[in-house]
Each structure stands twice: as C-alpha cells, then as structure tokens.
Amino acid sequence: MSATTPSSPPAPAPTPSSPAARSRPLALGVIATGLLMTVLDGSIVTVAMPAIQNDLGFTPAGLSWVVNAYLIAFGGLLLLSGRLGDLLGRRRMFLAGTAVFTAASVLAGAAGSPALLVTARFLQGAGSAMASAVGLGILVTLFTESRERARAIAVFSFTGAAGASIGQVLGGVLTDALGWHWIFFINLPIGLAVLLVAVRVLPADRGPGIAAGAGADTIGALLVTGGVMLGIYSVVEVESYGWLSAHTLGLGALALALLAAFVVRQATAATPLLPLRILRSRSVAGANLVQILMVAALFSFQILVALYLQRVLGYGATATGLAMLPAAAVIGAVSLGLSARLSARFGDRSVLLLGLALLIGVLGLLTRLPVHAHYATDLLPVMFLAAGFGLALPALTALGMSGAGEEDAGLASGLFNTTQQIGMAMGVAVLSTLAASRTDTLLAAGGSRAEALTGGYHLAFAVGTGLLATAFLVALAVLGRPDRAPAA
C-alpha cells in the first residue's frame, strides 16, 4: 500500500522463462483468493444475521456489531498494516494476516455468545486489514510491465466485485443447509490452501525493520481506531440510553477527543500514519467525504433490505441471497464494463453524479416499500437501479487518486480504503439504530410487528436518501468541473 522504502529497492522484472515469472499466475491467484475471502466475509454474513440473532440472542441494535466489529478493525488497521508491511516485509504481513483471519473464522463459527462472536469478528477484521493492505503492493512488484499489470489489477478488481454476489448467495445456502456457523467455517479450508500456496509462490521481501523505519505510529492507529469504536458504540447504545443521555453524550465527546488527538498526532509526529498534506487536495478530501456519505447509506441498504426480506416478507436465507443477487450482479457488470467507457467519454465527475442520482432513486423508492410487497414490482426495479453504485465507485476512486502526486499514491489509496470501511461501519450503526428505535415506537403505539419493522426501515432509508443527496451536493461543489479531455 505504501511506497517502497529506499532501503528496500524493487526487484528486477522477472524474465518470461524465470521461475518467478512462471509462478506469477499462482501468486495472482493466491492474492485474489485472499481478497475473495475478505469480500465474502463482508457480504456472506448479511443474510445470516436473523439466524444469528435468534440463536445467540442479540438485540436488534446489538446485532449491528456483527458487522461493525469487522469493519472497525478492518478500516482502523489498514494504514498501520500497510506501514508495517513496508517495514517488516509484505509477504510476511500477508501470511500473518491470512493466518489471523483463518483462526478467527474458526472462533466465530464456534461462538456460543454474542460477546465471543463480536470478538472473533474484530479479529477477522484485523487479519483482513493485514492481508489486504499489502496484496496490491505485492502485485505491483510482480507485474512490472504496464499491460500485464493492468490485467492483474483487473483480475484483482473483478474478484472483489464477484465476491459480493457470491457471498450473499453462498451465505443463504450455507445458513439454510448447514447453519450459520458454516459461513465462518468455510474459511478454514480456503485459508489453509492460501497459506500453503502463498509460502511457495509469493516473492520473499525483507523490509528495513521497525527501527530503520523510525516507527509505525502505533499511537496514531490506536487513537483513530479507539475514536471510531467509541463513536459507533455510543450510537448503537442509543436505543438503551437515549440520544441526549450522559452515556451517549459522554462517549460521543470522548470519541471526538480521540479523533482530534489523532489529527494533532498526525500534524506533529515524525513519521505520521496519515500525513495531513494529502488532505490539501480538494479532489482527495472531497472524494473521501463523498465516499463516507455514499457507503454509509448503501452498506446499510444491503443489511436492511436483507432483514426486510426475512423479517417482513418471510424469505428464507437462500431466497434472500437470490433476491439480492441482481443488485450485486449489475454493480459488478457496470463497474467492470460500462463505467470506464463512460468516464473516458464524459469524465469521472459526470459519471459519479449520474451514479449518485440513480442511488438516490434506489433509497427513495425503498421508503415506499409496503408491508406486503411483491418482489417483481416493488423490489426488482430497485435492484437494477443499484447499478448506480457500479458507476459511482470507480469514478470516485479515480477522482480521489487524481489529486495525489506519485509520492503519495500509496497514501491516497490507503486513505480511500480506510474511509470506505469507516463509512460502512458508521452507516450500519446509525441507520440500524434509527430503524430499531422507530420500530420500538411503532410497536408501543399498537402497530403489528410487520408494520413496525417496515416503518423502522422506511426511516433508515429516508435518512440514507438524505446522505446520498448530501454526497451529490458535495461532489457538485467540491470536485470541480467535468474533465474537458478525460484520458481513456
């Protein structure tokens, strides 16, 4: 993720007949499989959440921690993991992260209480951050010729897009056939296979070490992770304490203080985790702000629609996965095929605004979902409109990276990944809590359970629509005029 340090020069490009060249396809396969596990784990759990709630006794608001614990660790540790990969060796970091993720998956599958499952999910997120932060960096050093590198990155990106589709369907099948525990146990054979092959095919690299790198700003990582965790925890506990309680306001203030301390630390540390100069670029700062708003709304769409299908319409886990498959499929198809061509013709900013407009339509339509919905007329059109995410995210990524110089490319990439994970975690926490609070209010007023659940989801989708509208306005105002001559 980070730039290669001066004491660790890039290896010479392997010749086509060398052993390193012959092992590169296997190395690409190993890294892509590691990414697939990470993406699967983000989506496979969504359709199993009602079964997990029933089995372990999660509260509606507490259930969001099954997702949040993973996302907080993943997003909070990406920057630190990338820096440690530079200092200690990317291969070593990838192997360690895969091992941690695999062991934590076994612990999650065997969990018999909410606390143990949330702990295991946090460890899974930490392992994912360790492996994901260095995977792309390994590919860049393996594939040095521009055309080969482009193909390798295309495979890497397609794996991520396909993982979301596979995860929802596979999660439903495993939950219905074997139980929710197997959505985690499935990672054991995959993780062991990745480790066995990775040891043989990934290039050995030796970083300069922690001392030579003058530290990895562990304090900064602890401050930002602690601040995000406390902030999300204070929101999740609103259902129990209320928005204006001393508990909520006190923890919220402490979270803000930790995040402010992180900013101060980055401004004064000799080797900051996030040098603040990167935020002087309007495109970098604006793109990351737009991304936080966008993914906060849309990751909650993935969670809450799955809950609506099961809790209100009575779908099983497999049927839920299949019902949401069109959304994941069109997102993957548009992001890989249509998005780049439209950006080349009209510019990234225009494509981003089009994608955000479609997504506003998605959540706007969901605010009108009836209690007795018909999939073909009420939900399928929404799934197809979700193609807007396939337009918006690639264009937003290009805009976010365009404002960074060559020396800050790794830093900008790490920041973009981090804000994506934090946006997901914050969105799940806030919108899930709002939905649960509204549901309780409607139940207390005498409404049926289905009506109360639907009303809670309506509120969450309405707030999500507002977040997307704000993202549209920020993109319009901050990200500048459309490109006059965009490069293909």
Side-chain angles (χ1 to χ4, degrees), residues 185-387:
F185 286 145
I186 192 67
N187 291 325
L188 177 60
I190 301 174
L192 291 176
V194 168
L195 287 171
L196 289 173
V197 180
V199 169
R200 295 177 176 272
V201 302
L202 292 187
D205 61 328
R206 187 178 297 276
I210 294 292
D217 196 17
T218 305
I219 294 175
L222 292 175
L223 286 172
V224 68
T225 304
V228 172
M229 286 183 66
L230 274 178
I232 293 176
Y233 176 76
S234 65
V235 172
V236 170
E237 291 295 298
V238 162
E239 187 180 12
S240 301
Y241 294 94
W243 286 102
L244 299 179
S245 67
H247 180 275
T248 301
L249 295 178
L251 287 181
L254 181 57
L256 291 176
L258 288 173
L259 294 175
F262 170 74
V263 174
V264 173
R265 169 76 181 178
Q266 302 314 292
T268 58
T271 55
L273 192 66
L274 178 63
L276 298 182
R277 68 175 184 274
I278 193 70
L279 298 179
R280 294 173 187 164
S281 165
R282 282 171 59 106
S283 60
V284 171
N288 279 279
L289 177 57
V290 170
Q291 176 170 239
I292 288 177
L293 295 168
M294 182 176 72
V295 300
L298 293 177
F299 198 75
S300 300
F301 152 77
Q302 185 182 29
I303 300 290
L304 296 178
V305 170
L307 291 174
Y308 168 81
L309 289 169
Q310 296 189 57
R311 292 300 195 195
V312 178
L313 299 187
Y315 281 36
T318 301
T320 299
L322 292 173
M324 298 189 70
L325 181 59
V330 296
I331 290 171
V334 169
S335 63
L336 290 174
L338 185 61
S339 179
R341 291 198 293 271
L342 289 177
S343 291
R345 183 175 178 85
F346 300 107
D348 291 315
R349 178 178 179 271
S350 298
V351 174
L352 170 62
L353 293 174
L354 173 61
L356 288 172
L358 291 175
L359 294 174
I360 291 171
V362 168
L363 293 194
L365 288 174
L366 288 174
T367 62
R368 303 171 59 85
L369 276 179
V371 175
H372 304 291
H374 298 285
Y375 180 78
T377 56
D378 295 313
L379 284 162
L380 187 58
V382 173
M383 300 297 171
F384 287 131
L385 282 177

